[in-house]
Amino acid sequence: MPSAPTKLYADDVSLLVVLLDTNPFFWSTSSLPFSKFLSHVLSFLNSILLLNQINQIVVIATGCNSCDYIYDSSLSTNPGIENGKLPALCSELLKKLEDFVTRDEQLNKQQSQSLPPTTTSSLLSGSLSMALCYIQRVFRSGPLHPHPRILCVQGSSDGPEQYVAIMNSIFSAQRSMVPIDSCYIGSNNSAFLQQASYITGGVYQKPQQLDGLFQYLSTVFATDLHSRTFLQLPKSVGVDFRASCFCHKKTIDMGFICSVCLSIFCKHHKKCSTCGSVFGQAQSDVASASNLKRKTPET
Amino acid sequence: MPEVKIIAKNFMDMVASLPAMKLDKLYDNAFICEAILRSLPPLAKKYVLQMLYIDSPITAKSIEVWVLPDGYSKHRVAIDRLIQLRVFTETVDRRKETTYKINPTFQTNLQKLLTHGEVLPREPMPSNITVRLPSVEDLDVYAIGQWECFLLQLISSSSAQAERPSNISSSMMKVFQRGLLSQRDKEAPRLTESGFQFLLMDINAQLWYIIREYISNSEERGVDPADLISFLLELSFHVTGEAYNSNTLTEVQRNTIKDLADLGLVKLQQGRKESWFIPTKLATNLSVSLTDSASRKQGFVVVETNFRLYAYSTSKLHCEILRLFSRVEYQLPNLIVGAITKESLYNAFENGITADQIISFLQQNAHPRVAERIPTVPENVTDQIRLWESDLNRVEMTPAHYYDEFPSREIFEAACDHAREWNGLLWEDSKRMRLVVKAEIHIHMREHLRGQKQ
């Protein structure tokens, strides 16, 4: 893994990777209509591009079953008015978004034929990994590149089954010094995003008034990494550190941990399903209780 | 970019120094608002964005809350800049509370940009009319060629030497040369100190120096500087390599664009019926170099530890620049070989070039092969250049006053102490009661001694 980048542009040049939640299960129940949400986000994207001529934006849509790049400002060659009405950013982004949503829906149908629909969460782990891959490519592209950061605009609730993948992405983001900001617009706090922002040094915020989403975005999340060192930004009040067990993908606050590979289980197993270590017979109830580690939400 | 005295004033300072009325008028143009916004310090940009949708004035206190204690100086810089550019207006009400309000024209223009996204100042011409558009590489070559031709003409003593005559009038040329060349009667003009420094600057800084002179001279030509500034900024938002119809320009702009073509900022082409202009990299970089530009061009110089200097360049201008501080030994079609010698450097120092300027020139123009090495220029060479420079400055001159024949030792001691208090004692000889103080504290010394006599 390459070490942290050394040669960068001027302080406030940023590469912002935005992960948009397009999960229909969430948007059908949300108080903020998707169209309004998009107009807030589009203005926000415009404002990032406006701040610096070399700022770069990548938008990744996080669907229910898939995720995909829907906009990359370095690839769109001609800014300006297309079709006489909408500027390039809007038209290109909206078109790709529409394609993406229909594709995602088809995937959902295909899956639901074979399996009963089990999950209503978005594929956050997938889009996080895509964002990190993109950033790694930028790191390796040449000596000069902007400061990267990731912004998750997420609404749907966490999918505990993605726990391992998401934690892995978070740690790799931490290692390549990429902060993950999260703007959570769902009803409850998201433990995954709280942890992501906490570990990578990003900002986690849950806007109180969704009508003013743009103001939240521009006040908090438009701040470049350079300015963050001397600006007052929202501090996390509490982080939900609970983990998911590897065997049933349930969020637990107490469980068993493999002493070799640190996998988490909700029940006592004879053999670790991840690394294959054979655990000794649970000698007594006292011994197994000592293996049972408690992890409570910090408040 | 090296800190060079002659560009102490950057372009945005120039905009800020415009009279308030003209500045407000400038903000009618959305491109100017965008360029101004981009030129602001990061914190100031942030403030503008945050206050973009707030119509009522905001108290200074509530803005200060946004900043952490150790960022206060940056906060001051940002606010001062915003007020200077009249983006924020400051009002102090009766209760002595300072409030800031964002300039309404600026605000609406930026709001529009946010909702509609970036737009182009002009529609490019369709490609079926403009058949022979140059490629991006050709355009770059053209721009650099044009610029170097201009520079050569600028520094050459007589304009007759120029290979390609340009239509920049000789009076215009004189304006540019003012400050860079000095002419004593009948002698050939010589480059001045700032002229040498100018040659060592990078191309964006040079461009700005010239553009600044061009703008400040515009009033004499009957052109409003504000119009010129807005046109130049607008030009920087065009797309490189696209053709734009000259019909869309006003009369003044059409004249300006001819001058700009000579500088290599645009390429003019004539079609069967219509004529068009193609902005080059230099023009679109204008708004980038408004701020500290990070654009770096490919270097060509390799310096070796034996003080030899190899420059892979075909440019006559580069040769001239290297000649400023090194002895050019021979020239091959694509290579200039020189040596940095004591004599050549003394020559440079005499012309007012400093060691730091030479070193930063060598570092900035380092060939890609050596640019990755640390240090890019061998340390023994940079050290020696600095040593030779300090050799010349072995004696430091300080204007001073000499006092002697003190009536008593007490008075002498008191005088010494007094001089020390003012931090101006240069030398004392307590045996013979003599001392030397800096000239600027002479008045205080005299007063002190008079007080002692009474």
Side-chain angles (χ1 to χ4, degrees):
Chain A
M1 178 161 296
S3 59
T6 46
K7 281 183 187 169
L8 293 162
Y9 277 117
D11 296 328
D12 65 326
V13 181
S14 11
L15 158 63
L16 182 65
V17 186
V18 183
L19 313 182
L20 283 188
D21 192 358
T22 62
N23 190 340
F25 295 109
F26 167 70
W27 287 111
S28 57
T29 56
S30 164
S31 59
L32 180 78
F34 190 59
S35 58
K36 271 207 171 157
F37 164 77
L38 265 187
S39 62
H40 282 289
V41 170
L42 283 178
S43 300
F44 169 70
L45 296 181
N46 272 330
S47 70
I48 296 286
L49 289 179
L50 189 69
L51 285 180
N52 202 317
Q53 59 273 21
I54 19 189
N55 274 358
Q56 200 186 330
I57 294 181
V58 177
V59 184
I60 300 175
T62 318
C64 203
N65 299 296
S66 61
C67 39
D68 201 2
Y69 297 104
I70 53 173
Y71 180 73
D72 184 344
S73 65
S74 66
L75 294 181
S76 73
T77 41
N78 53 332
I81 299 171
E82 273 176 27
N83 316 330
K85 252 185 155 182
L86 284 169
L89 192 154
C90 292
S91 60
E92 203 182 316
L93 195 148
L94 292 180
K95 197 171 150 284
K96 285 228 182 147
L97 186 64
E98 214 179 305
D99 290 350
F100 171 76
V101 172
T102 25
R103 243 182 305 135
D104 197 44
E105 201 187 330
Q106 277 169 357
L107 272 176
N108 205 23
K109 275 179 192 156
Q110 283 170 14
Q111 277 195 355
S112 61
Q113 280 167 1
S114 53
L115 286 167
T118 47
T119 162
T120 54
S121 57
S122 312
L123 197 60
L124 181 64
S125 58
S127 56
L128 262 181
S129 322
M130 273 176 113
L132 286 168
C133 288
Y134 188 94
I135 288 169
Q136 282 302 326
R137 197 167 72 207
V138 171
F139 276 161
R140 289 165 202 205
S141 64
L144 268 182
H145 49 75
H147 290 279
R149 63 177 196 270
I150 299 175
L151 169 62
C152 303
V153 190
Q154 192 75 9
S156 40
S157 51
D158 294 340
E161 72 282 354
Q162 298 175 41
Y163 177 74
V164 180
I166 287 186
M167 286 317 279
N168 282 339
S169 314
I170 293 174
F171 289 128
S172 92
Q174 180 196 25
R175 205 162 156 192
S176 36
M177 310 230 286
V178 178
I180 301 178
D181 294 337
S182 4
C183 179
Y184 190 70
I185 47 180
S187 44
N188 299 314
N189 278 318
S190 154
F192 284 170
L193 290 180
Q194 278 180 338
Q195 293 188 39
S197 300
Y198 179 81
I199 292 171
T200 57
V203 183
Y204 174 89
Q205 206 189 22
K206 186 173 176 304
Q208 299 303 315
Q209 283 178 309
L210 289 182
D211 294 339
L213 184 64
F214 174 77
Q215 194 64 30
Y216 284 102
L217 289 173
S218 65
T219 311
V220 180
F221 300 108
T223 319
D224 54 272
L225 298 183
H226 172 68
S227 305
R228 286 186 188 197
T229 47
F230 36 80
L231 272 181
Q232 205 82 260
L233 287 171
K235 296 251 163 51
S236 58
V237 272
V239 181
D240 186 352
F241 281 115
R242 278 182 305 167
S244 301
C245 69
F246 287 23
C247 44
H248 303 89
K249 316 288 180 200
K250 278 187 297 191
T251 309
I252 50 170
D253 58 355
M254 232 202 302
F256 294 87
I257 294 178
C258 167
S259 52
V260 178
C261 69
L262 300 181
S263 301
I264 303 160
F265 304 100
C266 58
K267 284 194 296 195
H268 182 264
H269 288 243
K270 281 185 180 159
K271 196 176 160 195
C272 174
S273 60
T274 313
C275 65
S277 332
V278 181
F279 302 132
Q281 197 69 39
Q283 287 150 357
S284 65
D285 284 354
V286 189
S288 66
S290 70
N291 256 1
L292 206 61
K293 296 252 169 88
R294 188 172 208 113
K295 234 183 176 185
T296 41
E298 232 178 54
T299 41
Chain B
M1 207 182 289
E3 297 245 345
V4 181
K5 271 172 251 151
I6 61 169
I7 52 155
K9 247 182 128 198
N10 70 19
F11 185 67
M12 279 305 159
D13 285 331
M14 186 173 211
V15 175
S17 67
L18 284 174
M21 228 181 63
K22 280 201 177 144
L23 197 57
D24 286 347
K25 220 183 87 200
L26 271 187
Y27 289 147
D28 287 340
N29 187 331
F31 296 103
I32 306 227
C33 297
E34 198 177 338
I36 297 265
L37 179 72
R38 285 178 174 177
S39 77
L40 293 171
L43 207 53
K45 288 182 191 176
K46 191 83 210 350
Y47 291 166
V48 172
L49 193 62
Q50 231 154 306
M51 290 172 61
L52 205 55
Y53 283 92
I54 300 173
D55 294 319
S56 52
I58 290 192
T59 58
K61 272 190 197 137
S62 51
I63 296 185
E64 274 166 35
V65 178
W66 297 341
V67 197
L68 293 174
D70 35 330
Y72 188 73
S73 61
K74 301 238 180 195
H75 164 78
R76 260 336 312 166
V77 170
I79 291 285
D80 287 348
R81 190 74 183 155
L82 286 170
I83 291 172
Q84 198 185 13
L85 283 166
R86 294 181 56 80
V87 174
F88 276 15
T89 40
E90 189 181 34
T91 39
V92 183
D93 67 4
R94 265 169 287 157
R95 281 172 296 153
K96 295 241 168 143
E97 259 199 65
T98 322
T99 55
Y100 299 109
K101 194 173 180 334
I102 190 165
N103 184 324
T105 346
F106 191 82
Q107 191 177 14
T108 37
N109 266 328
L110 282 188
Q111 283 177 356
K112 264 186 221 154
L113 276 174
L114 280 197
T115 37
H116 301 302
E118 264 184 78
V119 282
L120 290 174
R122 278 185 187 78
E123 281 292 302
M125 290 170 77
S127 52
N128 52 4
I129 302 179
T130 57
V131 250
R132 324 162 261 127
L133 279 190
S135 70
V136 177
E137 290 80 31
D138 288 347
L139 209 59
D140 283 354
V141 171
Y142 164 83
I144 299 295
Q146 204 69 348
W147 177 250
E148 290 195 347
C149 170
F150 165 77
L151 279 188
L152 270 179
Q153 200 184 343
L154 188 71
I155 55 169
S156 63
S157 40
S158 63
S159 51
Q161 278 180 5
E163 292 154 23
R164 257 182 299 173
S166 67
N167 71 356
I168 289 197
S169 61
S170 57
S171 63
M172 208 55 234
M173 212 56 183
K174 286 259 160 58
V175 173
F176 293 146
Q177 285 169 342
R178 186 177 58 192
L180 299 179
L181 293 182
S182 72
Q183 188 159 24
R184 279 187 216 123
D185 29 31
K186 303 259 164 119
E187 270 178 51
R190 283 187 37 169
L191 275 175
T192 60
E193 201 172 308
S194 47
F196 283 109
Q197 291 178 357
F198 174 77
L199 283 184
L200 294 187
M201 289 194 269
D202 74 32
I203 189 160
N204 278 331
Q206 288 173 338
L207 189 63
W208 270 112
Y209 179 81
I210 293 298
I211 292 289
R212 212 186 82 208
E213 291 292 307
Y214 188 73
I215 293 171
S216 54
N217 180 252
S218 61
E219 244 160 324
E220 290 167 33
R221 284 174 287 129
V223 178
D224 186 3
D227 286 349
L228 195 57
I229 289 175
S230 75
F231 176 58
L232 282 168
L233 286 180
E234 205 177 292
L235 193 66
S236 67
F237 284 98
H238 287 73
V239 178
T240 316
E242 291 278 354
Y244 297 95
N245 201 322
S246 305
N247 295 340
T248 52
L249 300 173
T250 64
E251 187 63 40
V252 176
Q253 291 175 341
R254 228 168 291 163
N255 288 334
T256 311
I257 212 135
K258 274 180 205 148
D259 291 336
L260 297 182
D262 282 324
L263 297 180
L265 263 65
V266 290
K267 187 175 169 70
L268 297 176
Q269 273 188 342
Q270 184 78 42
R272 213 170 287 155
K273 276 188 205 149
E274 319 205 36
S275 62
W276 55 85
F277 64 94
I278 309 160
T280 67
K281 200 174 57 177
L282 289 182
T284 44
N285 273 349
L286 275 181
S287 76
V288 182
S289 55
L290 293 178
T291 53
D292 296 324
S293 81
S295 62
R296 220 169 280 164
K297 57 177 192 271
Q298 190 137 45
F300 57 95
V301 183
V302 179
V303 185
E304 289 193 335
T305 46
N306 59 1
F307 293 81
R308 302 265 286 181
L309 188 139
Y310 301 89
Y312 292 87
S313 169
T314 48
S315 153
K316 207 174 148 193
L317 182 73
H318 288 156
C319 183
E320 288 303 313
I321 291 176
L322 292 177
R323 220 183 276 281
L324 292 178
F325 58 85
S326 64
R327 194 183 67 216
V328 173
E329 288 178 344
Y330 43 89
Q331 239 179 311
L332 303 176
N334 69 337
L335 177 69
I336 305 160
V337 179
I340 298 175
T341 65
K342 196 173 177 183
E343 286 72 35
S344 72
L345 278 176
Y346 273 16
N347 232 339
F349 297 145
E350 242 168 63
N351 282 320
I353 304 176
T354 65
D356 286 333
Q357 279 170 346
I358 295 174
I359 293 168
S360 75
F361 174 83
L362 291 175
Q363 282 166 346
Q364 281 184 354
N365 291 293
H367 194 275
R369 277 284 178 91
V370 290
E372 281 157 26
R373 254 186 252 161
I374 299 171
T376 33
V377 181
E379 256 165 353
N380 72 321
V381 177
T382 52
D383 286 350
Q384 192 61 59
I385 292 177
R386 290 212 176 90
L387 280 177
W388 276 329
E389 187 190 38
S390 57
D391 265 1
L392 288 180
N393 305 332
R394 229 179 268 165
V395 180
E396 199 183 330
M397 305 262 262
T398 314
H401 283 268
Y402 170 71
Y403 297 82
D404 63 351
E405 293 182 17
F406 282 91
S408 71
R409 188 151 293 272
E410 285 80 51
I411 293 179
F412 171 75
E413 296 289 346
C416 282
D417 288 343
H418 188 74
R420 253 184 228 113
E421 266 169 39
W422 283 94
N423 203 11
L425 183 69
L426 292 171
W427 177 81
E428 62 174 318
D429 177 3
S430 50
K431 257 186 200 163
R432 295 197 199 156
M433 295 202 285
R434 299 181 300 186
L435 83 150
V436 174
V437 300
K438 281 186 194 160
E440 60 259 31
I441 71 155
H442 174 59
I443 305 167
H444 305 296
M445 283 302 285
R446 205 168 53 192
E447 270 171 25
H448 168 79
L449 290 174
R450 269 206 199 118
Q452 294 272 318
K453 260 182 211 164
Q454 280 159 12

